[in-house]
Amino acid sequence: MILLAAFLSTSTIATGQTAEIRDAALQDDVAWDITEGLTTEVGQRLAGTEAEARARDWATAKLKSLGFANVRVEPFDMPVWVRGAESAEIVSPFPQKLVLAALGNSAATPDAGITAEVIGFDGIEALKAAPDASVRGKIVFVTHAMNSTQDGSSYGAFGIVRRQGPSIASRKGAAAIVIRSIGTDHHRNPHTGVQMWAEGTTPIPAAALSVPDAEQLQRILKRGKPVTMKLVLTPKNIGTRQSGNVIAEVPGRDPKAGIALVGCHLDSWDLGTGAIDDAAGCGIVAAAAKQVMDAGRPLRTIRVVWFGAEEVGLFGGFAYRDRHKSEKHALLAESDFGADRIWKIESKVAPAALPLVATLATRLQPLGIGLGGNEAHGGSDIGPLAATGVPVIALNQDGSRYFDLHHTPDDTLDKIDPAQLRQNVAAYATMLSVLANDTTDLGPVTVQPEG
Amino acid sequence: MILLAAFLSTSTIATGQTAEIRDAALQDDVAWDITEGLTTEVGQRLAGTEAEARARDWATAKLKSLGFANVRVEPFDMPVWVRGAESAEIVSPFPQKLVLAALGNSAATPDAGITAEVIGFDGIEALKAAPDASVRGKIVFVTHAMNSTQDGSSYGAFGIVRRQGPSIASRKGAAAIVIRSIGTDHHRNPHTGVQMWAEGTTPIPAAALSVPDAEQLQRILKRGKPVTMKLVLTPKNIGTRQSGNVIAEVPGRDPKAGIALVGCHLDSWDLGTGAIDDAAGCGIVAAAAKQVMDAGRPLRTIRVVWFGAEEVGLFGGFAYRDRHKSEKHALLAESDFGADRIWKIESKVAPAALPLVATLATRLQPLGIGLGGNEAHGGSDIGPLAATGVPVIALNQDGSRYFDLHHTPDDTLDKIDPAQLRQNVAAYATMLSVLANDTTDLGPVTVQPEG
């Protein structure tokens, strides 16, 4: 306790004003309004499609109507992959349909599909260890044992099956790959998600079975008879299209103090309406910025960035970094982990700035938020800029049920709890109230080279 | 308490043996084996299809292997309706796809679909009250406020939207009808189910939106702009096919004592694998009968009936009644409400038999089961025979989550809790141990004319 007290910043943050902003944010309706509006009036917003373009129009109109300055779209080009027909069935020994969804960048089967024997693996290491001859020409099935975690760390650990499985299977000559969804629910809703073909690999059809379907296939394989599957997947690469980042600002009083960037992503996967991923994040950061704006002009400029094309490869994050890296960014924060209660603040700041983070943490305690470490990741869209040494603040949502819904048809508005959403807005508003009104340098951050 | 004591039967039921059977049933693996096997090795089993025929083959082999006598199929003919393509999208004002499933006996749209304005109603009474001119040529949408209930009674109350909505909409000249699924979950899994066209009505396309999609449509309608929907449904009536009831017996010592019938239904809807509805029911009643059989020959014959073609119109229940109504049935019981914990026993017996029911209830108390009233319904397949005055015993499963899953793609094996399944087997085995070893007449039951 003595150690913590020693770290407390002596900066003269207006404690009373921050508390007022926090309490006002706990009554916020703006975040809900944005989340409800975007998911209802646009729905799914696959990157680079006409739906994402409608979302940008919706977003600029909404951000202007909220009173933000410098509302604009910064367009960029990107390659676009779109889903086609998709179906799977066990042909023998026990004929039945299975539910699946193509993974991003999956190759297509012929329209009539392919039929091949299934070979099952319990994880990525078992697949790696298999002789190529045992896999060649077959449909590879890979399962795994992902469970729910509050900090979402199991996504990193088990997501490797989606990220690496298709390339490994392709290298071994597999006809196609189906994986157990990278998810923690038991509903017939497959979890899609992007995967990139490793250099030198040939794209093959790649899809995720819903968790109940993956368990069904495991049970069928365990009977020990040869299992034949018919697979139809007809996604397409439709070439280069336009996406864009939508930006809005609260201009600061001190131009030299740098920019406090709060982000989210505007695009979504195509199966659900992208409520937890990530309409709610856009609602949270815009609502929080508005709460601070309404309380008076901050010292630093607050920049709200609704990134485009996150899901399919962080195109918006890279485009933003390339365009804005010469500007002074004081801090980066991103809400892209649903809207359940924020439980922990983490940072990635210079050691000298840790007392300020500790002060911020005390302001967040009334919201039930504890203080974590100084190795925050913070969000995928801000990753490219963070990798250049810009400080990061992470307000971590409870991820216990996030991967029940993530990238599935089930990511819809009804999964958002308005009370928890408001707690999120209050946490972000508190963070901005403290850090956009204090000019202490949070950086530079020493960047570790990629391991 | 004195009243209850006065009712206690003086029959000399072997209390010790019943307790032994109950305790053995709490270790049962047969019910799981049947539930797992039927859902894995057959999967969905739509009535009258080749899949249901495979299920009958599976069932007869399984029931013979368990040691039952007189295992046989009693075939019957029935008209068969099968699902086709199904999709829906909002064309304007907010283009997006919706998830739905055709209801049983739905008419088809043209292959290219129909496009029409949507008119929404908050319930069946609002639809009834609408002037025909306001509905004519439109796609009717009916929502409702069904919530979860332990006894499942909300299905009766709100299921009217599915059972009557299509015929009412057709009479008013609607182009089609989509309803909010008759379900209590929030997943993108629509709840199908049968509906019968009222005399004189013309079949129209009829489907159920998943609950999140129904709420989405409500939000869109509330914006107050005209809403246009495109609907594709291509189900077909494929004519008369064969279904059948699968029967197995434990022959009793006293042929005059009548038959104790325990039933379930073998067919399922086509979207899931029919685990809760009703593979588990078949597992429960067969496992319970086997537990009693293994303890020695009972007085009454126990007849296990796995009915065919329940979901689409109780064809198996009517065929059984027509064929067997002249036999003496001592009692009827059916497990068709999932496999969550049984919480209450109800009966429909002659008043003179109530002391025996009270005795049975005391045997069930160690399983956490309470005693309810004497107005049991008991199960749909046994309904036609019960309507002739045969006594009914109902062991009521907890239905709190049953309508989250009912008739959806989500009705899969992972929804069965093995521990609760065993409690079900123990309850049915206890019931059979008491009532198949006591020759007290439970009937005749006074049948109320249909209201």
Side-chain angles (χ1 to χ4, degrees):
Chain A
M1 301 308 283
I2 292 164
L3 193 66
L4 180 66
F7 266 110
L8 284 175
S9 166
T10 55
S11 84
T12 55
I13 296 157
T15 310
Q17 193 194 33
T18 293
E20 276 172 30
I21 288 171
R22 182 192 68 217
D23 292 347
L26 286 171
Q27 308 296 321
D28 176 79
D29 284 326
V30 171
W32 178 264
D33 180 56
I34 290 170
T35 309
E36 194 266 1
L38 193 54
T39 55
T40 302
E41 298 184 7
V42 182
Q44 71 84 13
R45 312 171 286 287
L46 184 67
T49 67
E50 160 281 330
E52 197 201 27
R54 277 191 281 127
R56 285 193 294 282
D57 292 344
W58 189 96
T60 49
K62 174 60 70 178
L63 290 165
K64 282 178 186 168
S65 78
L66 292 172
F68 289 108
N70 307 326
V71 176
R72 61 197 187 271
V73 175
E74 293 182 352
F76 53 84
D77 286 343
M78 56 169 291
V80 176
W81 172 97
V82 295
R83 191 175 303 283
E86 37 199 29
S87 66
E89 60 187 279
I90 303 294
V91 176
S92 65
F94 308 127
Q96 55 191 283
K97 293 181 182 173
L98 300 177
V99 176
L100 50 54
L103 297 175
N105 300 317
S106 168
T109 65
D111 285 357
I114 59 171
T115 301
E117 189 177 338
V118 177
I119 179 166
F121 298 98
D122 278 345
I124 204 80
E125 294 307 320
L127 172 59
K128 279 183 189 168
D132 291 6
S134 70
V135 168
R136 194 166 298 128
K138 293 186 181 153
I139 296 174
V140 162
F141 166 59
V142 185
T143 186
H144 57 82
M146 181 176 177
N147 271 298
S148 154
T149 46
Q150 189 175 21
D151 66 1
S153 55
S154 60
Y155 184 54
F158 295 93
I160 196 173
V161 172
R162 187 187 83 213
R163 295 191 304 272
Q164 295 190 10
S167 290
I168 297 169
S170 171
R171 254 198 211 109
K172 289 179 182 285
I177 179 171
V178 296
I179 64 167
R180 176 182 170 120
S181 279
I182 308 302
T184 52
D185 62 300
H186 272 86
H187 297 290
R188 299 289 292 287
N189 291 313
H191 296 239
T192 188
V194 79
Q195 59 82 38
M196 303 291 186
W197 297 103
E199 187 140 342
T201 55
T202 306
I204 57 174
L209 292 162
S210 86
V211 172
D213 289 275
E215 293 185 349
Q216 180 82 335
L217 180 53
Q218 264 188 293
R219 282 189 294 270
I220 291 172
L221 285 165
K222 275 189 184 153
R223 259 66 176 175
K225 298 175 185 167
V227 175
T228 305
M229 180 187 286
K230 180 181 172 189
L231 187 64
V232 177
L233 295 173
T234 63
K236 276 190 294 202
N237 293 304
I238 60 170
T240 300
R241 301 288 162 97
Q242 198 171 72
S243 179
N245 296 325
V246 180
I247 297 180
E249 290 176 349
V250 182
R253 302 199 303 277
D254 180 356
K256 290 182 205 154
I259 296 158
L261 186 156
V262 284
C264 65
H265 64 86
L266 183 58
D267 67 307
S268 76
W269 270 108
D270 55 342
L271 300 176
T273 63
I276 66 156
D277 190 16
D278 181 28
C282 293
I284 289 161
V285 298
K290 181 172 159 52
Q291 291 286 353
V292 176
M293 175 172 71
D294 291 351
R297 198 170 173 183
L299 274 171
R300 302 196 210 261
T301 290
I302 298 171
R303 183 176 286 171
V304 175
V305 186
W306 291 5
F307 291 91
E310 186 268 352
E311 294 293 3
V312 294
L314 304 188
F315 293 101
F318 286 110
Y320 182 89
R321 179 200 62 189
D322 292 346
R323 188 165 180 151
H324 294 281
K325 59 177 178 264
S326 64
E327 290 175 85
K328 181 179 176 185
H329 286 83
L331 70 102
L332 308 172
E334 179 170 10
S335 177
D336 182 21
F337 201 49
D340 279 352
R341 175 170 283 278
I342 291 172
W343 63 289
K344 187 167 74 171
I345 175 174
E346 292 182 309
S347 59
K348 189 159 193 176
V349 301
L354 284 172
L356 180 57
V357 174
T359 298
L360 171 57
T362 65
R363 303 287 188 278
L364 292 167
Q365 278 187 1
L367 296 169
I369 298 169
L371 175 59
N374 195 35
E375 295 186 341
H377 168 61
S380 53
D381 294 292
I382 59 174
L385 196 54
T388 70
V390 180
V392 168
I393 298 292
L395 294 167
N396 297 326
Q397 282 102 356
D398 188 323
S400 300
R401 65 180 188 128
Y402 186 72
F403 292 105
D404 290 357
L405 307 167
H406 179 249
H407 296 185
T408 74
D410 249 354
D411 180 3
T412 49
L413 182 66
D414 49 282
K415 309 311 182 304
I416 305 291
D417 173 353
Q420 295 191 70
L421 182 67
R422 289 192 181 103
Q423 188 259 10
N424 275 256
V425 177
Y428 268 88
T430 300
M431 184 274 285
L432 286 175
S433 172
V434 172
L435 298 186
N437 285 303
D438 184 296
T439 55
T440 305
D441 269 341
L442 297 170
V445 173
T446 307
V447 179
Q448 304 289 332
E450 291 285 326
Chain B
M1 299 309 283
I2 291 164
L3 193 66
L4 181 67
F7 267 110
L8 284 176
S9 165
T10 55
S11 84
T12 56
I13 297 158
T15 310
Q17 193 194 34
T18 293
E20 276 173 31
I21 288 172
R22 183 193 68 216
D23 292 346
L26 286 171
Q27 308 296 322
D28 176 79
D29 285 325
V30 171
W32 177 264
D33 179 57
I34 290 170
T35 309
E36 195 265 2
L38 193 53
T39 56
T40 302
E41 299 183 6
V42 183
Q44 70 85 15
R45 311 171 288 285
L46 186 67
T49 67
E50 160 280 330
E52 198 201 26
R54 275 189 284 126
R56 285 193 295 282
D57 291 344
W58 189 97
T60 48
K62 173 62 68 177
L63 290 165
K64 282 177 186 169
S65 78
L66 292 172
F68 289 107
N70 307 326
V71 176
R72 61 196 188 271
V73 175
E74 293 182 351
F76 53 85
D77 287 342
M78 56 168 292
V80 176
W81 172 96
V82 295
R83 191 174 304 283
E86 38 200 29
S87 67
E89 59 187 280
I90 302 294
V91 177
S92 66
F94 309 129
Q96 56 191 281
K97 292 181 182 174
L98 301 176
V99 177
L100 48 54
L103 297 175
N105 300 318
S106 168
T109 64
D111 285 355
I114 59 169
T115 301
E117 190 177 338
V118 177
I119 180 167
F121 298 97
D122 278 345
I124 205 79
E125 293 307 320
L127 172 60
K128 279 183 189 166
D132 292 5
S134 70
V135 168
R136 195 167 296 128
K138 293 185 181 154
I139 296 174
V140 163
F141 165 59
V142 185
T143 186
H144 57 83
M146 180 174 177
N147 271 299
S148 154
T149 47
Q150 189 176 23
D151 66 0
S153 55
S154 60
Y155 184 55
F158 295 93
I160 195 172
V161 171
R162 188 187 82 212
R163 295 191 304 271
Q164 296 189 10
S167 290
I168 297 168
S170 170
R171 258 200 206 105
K172 289 179 181 286
I177 179 171
V178 294
I179 64 166
R180 177 182 170 121
S181 278
I182 307 304
T184 52
D185 61 302
H186 271 86
H187 297 291
R188 299 290 290 288
N189 290 314
H191 297 239
T192 189
V194 78
Q195 58 84 38
M196 303 291 186
W197 297 104
E199 188 142 341
T201 56
T202 306
I204 58 174
L209 291 162
S210 86
V211 171
D213 288 275
E215 292 184 350
Q216 180 83 335
L217 180 54
Q218 264 188 292
R219 283 190 293 270
I220 291 172
L221 285 165
K222 275 190 184 153
R223 259 65 176 175
K225 297 175 184 168
V227 175
T228 305
M229 180 187 286
K230 180 180 172 189
L231 187 65
V232 177
L233 294 173
T234 63
K236 277 191 292 203
N237 293 303
I238 59 169
T240 299
R241 301 289 161 97
Q242 197 172 73
S243 180
N245 296 324
V246 179
I247 297 181
E249 290 177 349
V250 182
R253 303 198 304 276
D254 179 356
K256 290 183 204 152
I259 297 158
L261 185 156
V262 285
C264 65
H265 64 85
L266 183 58
D267 67 309
S268 76
W269 269 108
D270 55 343
L271 299 175
T273 62
I276 67 157
D277 191 14
D278 184 29
C282 293
I284 291 162
V285 298
K290 180 171 160 54
Q291 291 286 352
V292 175
M293 176 172 71
D294 291 350
R297 200 169 174 184
L299 274 172
R300 301 196 210 261
T301 291
I302 298 172
R303 181 177 287 173
V304 175
V305 185
W306 291 5
F307 291 91
E310 187 269 352
E311 293 292 3
V312 294
L314 304 188
F315 293 99
F318 286 110
Y320 182 88
R321 179 200 62 189
D322 292 347
R323 188 162 180 150
H324 294 280
K325 59 177 178 264
S326 63
E327 291 174 85
K328 181 177 177 186
H329 287 83
L331 69 103
L332 308 173
E334 180 170 9
S335 178
D336 182 21
F337 200 48
D340 279 353
R341 176 170 281 278
I342 292 173
W343 62 290
K344 189 166 73 171
I345 175 175
E346 293 182 308
S347 60
K348 191 160 191 175
V349 300
L354 284 172
L356 180 57
V357 173
T359 298
L360 170 57
T362 64
R363 303 287 188 277
L364 292 167
Q365 277 186 2
L367 296 169
I369 298 169
L371 176 58
N374 195 35
E375 295 187 339
H377 168 61
S380 53
D381 294 292
I382 59 174
L385 195 56
T388 69
V390 180
V392 169
I393 297 293
L395 293 167
N396 297 326
Q397 281 102 356
D398 189 322
S400 299
R401 65 180 188 127
Y402 186 71
F403 292 105
D404 290 356
L405 307 168
H406 179 249
H407 295 184
T408 73
D410 250 354
D411 180 2
T412 49
L413 182 65
D414 48 282
K415 310 309 182 304
I416 305 291
D417 174 353
Q420 294 190 72
L421 183 68
R422 289 193 180 102
Q423 187 259 9
N424 274 256
V425 177
Y428 269 86
T430 301
M431 183 274 286
L432 286 174
S433 172
V434 172
L435 298 186
N437 285 304
D438 183 295
T439 55
T440 306
D441 268 341
L442 297 169
V445 174
T446 307
V447 180
Q448 302 290 331
E450 292 284 326

